Amino acid sequence: MTLTEARLHGPWPANPVVHEIFTWVWLADLSAFAGRPVTLAEVPDSVWDDVARPGIDAVWLMGVWQRSPEGARIAATNQAMRGDAERALPGLVDTDIVGSAYCIRDYTVDAHLGGDEGLAVARARLAERGVRLVLDFVPNHVAPDHAWTRSHPEYFVQGTSDDLARDPVSFIEVEETVLACGRDPYFPAWPEVIQFEASRADVRRAATDIVSSIADRCDGVRCDMAMLVLDDVFARTWGERATGPDDDRGYWRPLIDTVRASHPDFVFWAEAYWDLEPVLVEQGFDACYDKRLYDRIVHREPPGSIRAHFGADASYQHHMLRFVENHDEPRAASVLSGPAHRAALASVMTLPGVALLHDGEADGRQLRTPVTLGRRSIETTDRELRSFVDRLLAALSGGLRRGTWQLASVEGWPDNRSHERLMAWTWTQPDARYLVAVNLSDERADGMVRLPWTDLAGTCTLVDLLSGAVFVRDGNDISSSGLYVALDPDAVHLVRVDDEISGGS
């Protein structure tokens, strides 16, 4: 089999788990360990075995596209961007700033990482392990030195010399043409990128061509700030500078339909905010960021608000991409206690939809590496967290996250309202049943969990897949009255339910 043929075929698994890898700094770590440069083509098998271990369905190689020298220069000289880099990497030198992963000069793999040939090797190594490959697409902007800023300046939001003089942070001059820097409606412009005029038909056709070429090289794409090119959002952001679309199907629907005509199993995931997830799902996205759940868990909102979040329609839940950290957010280990982080991870990894494990999260890294850097600090591995994640992934590889998901009700007693801090859900398969119960609070909680299985009878054995603890209960009692669950603060049970009737395993 050639490298081109070494890929997975057919539909994706339901509810995939994806491992995000910060490609440039990950390879820098491997190179430092090896004492020589390591590209995507040279990653040892043992490393792929770890990155794509059982329980992982896809690897997102974040930031593989060609970086911009001009973007790197701006990142090194912009006071705010350099300050962010210095806080993350003590002893920073200029060569550590390689330019933002999202300031893209060209949609070819950066030569420093091994080029397109190296990516093909990486894809083949993942496919050998039954794991798919996800890459990035940035619809909103490109680098100032992208070829199109000179060959097709009409593709970009236009400015004037007065704009440049009035607001040099939001506009940039490229060969005597003033172009707008990329931004969203609520924050200042990003100084190192140029804003596409995304309402133009020719820009949308060019974007479709880019994503089609990406689809030749991977199995799915994560679309950066996908909501910014929705027609109404773009018009609100740019006003009269937006010429207006000539296709009422919107930006994404024609693009996704075209790509899927030749790549029917290709998936689209959206970075999305502002409650626009349903709009993007309607336009064809398979999953969107669940930022509200992130905020509720990480900011320690009352369990009732988190439980209400899970009360949304089950079909909607399957379109969510959930995480406890990613490359844009603070490291979870820096803002949550160890138990809280573990409970949060067990929660997001056992819910329907797409679950994201971020690069270094399993090791308890605490320093967020800005996407402009090519090197990161050395940190000590949290062995307890790593062991927990290993057990969690082993449970997932054993069958959890398959079948039918259902939120379970939890009941208490008049003189004890602690059950309100408990949350529980189940996964039901023809030959296996699982219960997840979690307490995402600072106080002990207990209550009766009502399970959806009315046929439990005889002796039930409950095996906690995280701790190895075994509980024996009467199935008739569970069916009639529920299962009593008591959890310490930030504790979790991940239980396989075996009973004499179903013969579950």
Side-chain angles (χ1 to χ4, degrees):
M1 179 178 290
T2 67
L3 287 178
T4 302
E5 295 167 334
R7 62 187 64 179
L8 297 176
H9 298 279
W12 278 62
N15 309 303
V17 176
V18 57
H19 194 177
E20 178 188 1
I21 297 298
F22 191 159
T23 312
W24 196 297
V25 298
W26 175 65
L27 289 177
D29 289 345
L30 297 179
S31 298
F33 181 79
R36 61 174 179 79
V38 174
T39 69
L40 286 169
E42 300 160 319
V43 174
D45 283 342
S46 60
V47 175
W48 286 125
D49 289 341
D50 180 57
V51 167
R53 57 193 181 275
I56 299 295
D57 299 297
V59 167
W60 165 19
L61 289 178
M62 188 275 286
V64 302
W65 305 124
Q66 187 183 128
R67 302 293 175 101
S68 161
E70 177 61 12
R73 184 194 67 77
I74 294 171
T77 56
N78 179 276
Q79 184 175 0
M81 296 176 74
R82 188 177 184 93
D84 191 26
E86 288 174 341
R87 285 187 292 273
L89 185 61
L92 175 87
V93 296
D94 283 349
T95 54
D96 291 325
I97 300 177
V98 297
S100 170
Y102 295 96
C103 177
I104 295 171
R105 190 183 191 193
D106 188 60
Y107 279 92
T108 57
V109 178
D110 200 290
H112 179 84
L113 308 179
D116 286 336
E117 297 80 6
L119 181 70
V121 173
R123 187 183 189 186
R125 297 294 175 262
L126 292 173
E128 290 168 0
R129 292 160 174 81
V131 172
R132 297 169 196 260
L133 174 64
V134 176
L135 301 175
D136 291 291
F137 170 60
V138 184
N140 200 50
H141 51 71
V142 291
D145 44 1
H146 190 287
W148 287 350
T149 62
R150 292 159 176 80
S151 62
H152 291 286
E154 71 278 8
Y155 282 5
F156 303 94
V157 172
Q158 303 291 301
T160 65
S161 56
D162 289 342
D163 290 325
L164 182 62
R166 172 183 52 82
D167 188 2
V169 173
S170 302
F171 293 88
I172 192 169
E173 187 171 15
V174 179
E175 292 192 351
E176 301 183 353
T177 300
V178 176
L179 303 175
C181 295
R183 67 180 178 91
D184 75 19
Y186 303 110
F187 293 95
W190 301 298
E192 82 278 30
V193 293
I194 307 299
Q195 175 68 52
F196 276 123
E197 210 290 58
S199 65
R200 290 177 59 108
D202 51 0
V203 170
R204 295 183 178 192
R205 287 192 296 270
T208 301
D209 290 342
I210 290 174
V211 180
S212 294
S213 74
I214 294 173
D216 289 334
R217 291 171 278 178
C218 64
D219 306 291
V221 68
R222 176 266 192 189
C223 298
D224 186 70
M225 299 289 277
M227 73 288 178
L228 290 183
V229 293
L230 292 172
D231 290 343
D232 57 341
V233 175
F234 191 81
R236 186 167 71 249
T237 305
W238 293 102
E240 294 181 355
R241 298 183 196 271
T243 59
D246 59 3
D247 188 336
D248 61 8
R249 294 182 297 163
Y251 179 100
W252 287 111
R253 173 55 70 182
L255 184 156
I256 292 173
D257 286 350
T258 299
V259 173
R260 285 209 174 117
S262 55
H263 301 82
D265 299 313
F266 196 75
V267 300
F268 287 82
W269 299 336
E271 179 190 16
Y273 310 109
W274 314 331
D275 297 324
L276 290 170
E277 298 87 352
V279 177
L280 290 161
V281 169
E282 190 278 329
Q283 288 217 359
F285 277 92
D286 298 279
C288 299
Y289 273 32
D290 194 349
K291 179 63 161 54
R292 283 197 176 275
L293 178 61
Y294 166 85
D295 288 336
R296 285 173 168 150
I297 289 178
V298 172
H299 298 155
R300 305 290 284 178
E301 289 191 12
S305 70
I306 301 174
R307 186 186 302 108
H309 189 97
F310 299 151
D313 182 81
S315 62
Y316 178 75
Q317 302 279 1
H318 285 276
H319 288 294
M320 294 290 97
L321 190 157
R322 297 183 163 109
F323 50 87
V324 187
E325 66 172 49
N326 61 41
H327 63 265
D328 290 316
E329 308 294 349
R331 287 288 192 177
S334 72
V335 295
L336 294 174
S337 69
H341 187 189
R342 294 192 293 273
L345 262 174
S347 298
V348 301
M349 300 285 276
T350 58
L351 289 165
V354 181
L356 175 69
L357 179 67
H358 183 219
D359 188 1
E361 181 177 7
D363 296 322
R365 283 185 170 270
Q366 297 194 20
L367 295 175
R368 185 188 73 85
T369 303
V371 294
T372 57
L373 288 182
R375 182 171 66 90
R376 60 185 168 191
S377 295
I378 298 172
E379 297 187 60
T380 302
T381 297
D382 182 335
R383 297 295 179 186
E384 184 177 5
L385 177 59
R386 180 65 187 238
S387 175
F388 176 87
V389 172
D390 288 344
R391 296 194 303 274
L392 179 57
L393 288 174
L396 300 183
S397 69
L400 192 59
R401 291 178 64 86
R402 301 174 194 163
T404 301
W405 176 86
Q406 187 172 341
L407 187 65
S409 63
V410 184
E411 300 173 355
W413 301 270
D415 60 344
N416 177 10
R417 309 299 297 176
S418 73
H419 75 281
E420 295 175 353
R421 295 190 287 273
L422 274 180
M423 287 175 288
W425 47 88
T426 60
W427 287 92
T428 305
Q429 303 165 21
D431 59 351
R433 314 196 233 210
Y434 297 91
L435 165 68
V436 179
V438 62
N439 175 11
L440 295 176
S441 78
D442 298 323
E443 300 179 72
R444 189 177 187 276
D446 66 338
M448 300 299 293
V449 177
R450 288 286 187 176
L451 302 177
W453 312 308
T454 59
D455 62 339
L456 293 176
T459 300
C460 282
T461 304
L462 288 72
V463 181
D464 191 311
L465 301 176
L466 295 176
S467 69
V470 177
F471 310 92
V472 178
R473 298 291 185 269
D474 186 287
N476 294 297
D477 289 345
I478 295 174
S479 293
S480 61
S481 303
L483 176 68
Y484 176 73
V485 174
L487 286 172
D488 289 333
D490 290 311
V492 60
H493 282 318
L494 199 165
V495 174
R496 187 185 69 232
V497 179
D498 301 335
D499 69 283
E500 295 175 350
I501 299 298
S502 69
S505 59

